[in-house]
Amino acid sequence: MSKVKSSPRTTAARAAKAKPDTSPVRPKTPNFGEVIRTRRRELNLTQDEIAARIKISTPYIGHLESGKRHPSDKILTKLGEVLGLDNRELFFLANPHAQALISEPVSAEGSSWEQFQKNEKLQRIHNVTPDEMQILSQVALMGDIQSPRDLIYILTTIRHAVGR
């Protein structure tokens, strides 16, 4: 039994009958390599020139631009200097997962400290004293408190450290 090959005309007819793509088109954000390549070209620099200024190999620049390699922080800094790009933005382009790790979740109920202050039941359950509230208020000023439960964890750690 032989297979019947589809002609280009038949394939095109099937594609025309298929449902049209209704997904919204999202603007593509440039990745690290695209930003480096675009900026290098804007400055009329070759990969050789960039490599010489940063003191790395020309193929490595090509690998960075194509996304085959991931730059070290040292290389990121040098690239930022040579290309006149912001080091912080370059870091997040090269490390997109890092943005999610440090971005602060926005709570509709206010900051974690404000939520903790209002939650008298939680304070009562954990026997939080006025002195401990003062300490926790100072800790909250340092940031990175994701929830009121984080403050309980910190309080418990402090209590263990001072032997209470």
Side-chain angles (χ1 to χ4, degrees):
M1 215 173 175
S2 64
K3 289 185 177 181
V4 177
K5 290 186 179 181
S6 295
S7 70
R9 180 179 244 165
T10 310
T11 307
R14 273 193 229 127
K17 288 181 183 178
K19 289 184 178 179
D21 184 17
T22 58
S23 62
V25 178
R26 291 183 210 148
K28 185 182 174 200
T29 40
N31 64 30
F32 175 77
E34 291 169 347
V35 169
I36 296 301
R37 179 181 292 121
T38 300
R39 182 63 178 156
R40 175 179 61 77
R41 288 177 176 169
E42 286 172 357
L43 297 173
N44 292 321
L45 295 170
T46 65
Q47 289 182 348
D48 288 332
E49 291 169 324
I50 297 291
R53 291 181 188 187
I54 297 176
K55 296 183 175 63
I56 58 176
S57 72
T58 302
Y60 186 69
I61 294 291
H63 289 308
L64 290 175
E65 289 183 356
S66 66
K68 292 179 181 176
R69 295 284 185 264
H70 185 270
S72 67
D73 292 340
K74 187 176 179 179
I75 298 297
L76 274 174
T77 302
K78 289 179 178 182
L79 274 171
E81 290 170 5
V82 170
L83 297 174
L85 296 170
D86 181 62
N87 288 342
R88 185 171 197 266
E89 289 179 29
L90 273 182
F91 175 81
F92 287 126
L93 281 171
N95 303 285
H97 60 281
Q99 183 72 40
L101 292 174
I102 66 167
S103 62
E104 298 177 31
V106 179
S107 171
E109 298 108 26
S111 72
S112 297
W113 171 245
E114 290 168 349
Q115 292 174 37
F116 183 78
Q117 279 182 302
K118 292 175 187 174
N119 194 335
E120 293 175 8
K121 182 180 177 184
L122 187 63
Q123 293 174 36
R124 218 177 16 260
I125 290 170
H126 293 280
N127 298 318
V128 182
T129 67
D131 287 342
E132 290 171 331
M133 285 296 286
Q134 180 63 34
I135 291 169
L136 291 175
S137 73
Q138 297 299 310
V139 169
L141 290 174
M142 293 190 302
D144 292 336
I145 306 298
Q146 302 296 318
S147 75
R149 294 217 177 266
D150 288 352
L151 291 163
I152 294 299
Y153 174 78
I154 292 167
L155 178 60
T156 303
T157 304
I158 292 170
R159 286 175 175 171
H160 283 288
V162 297
R164 180 171 170 236

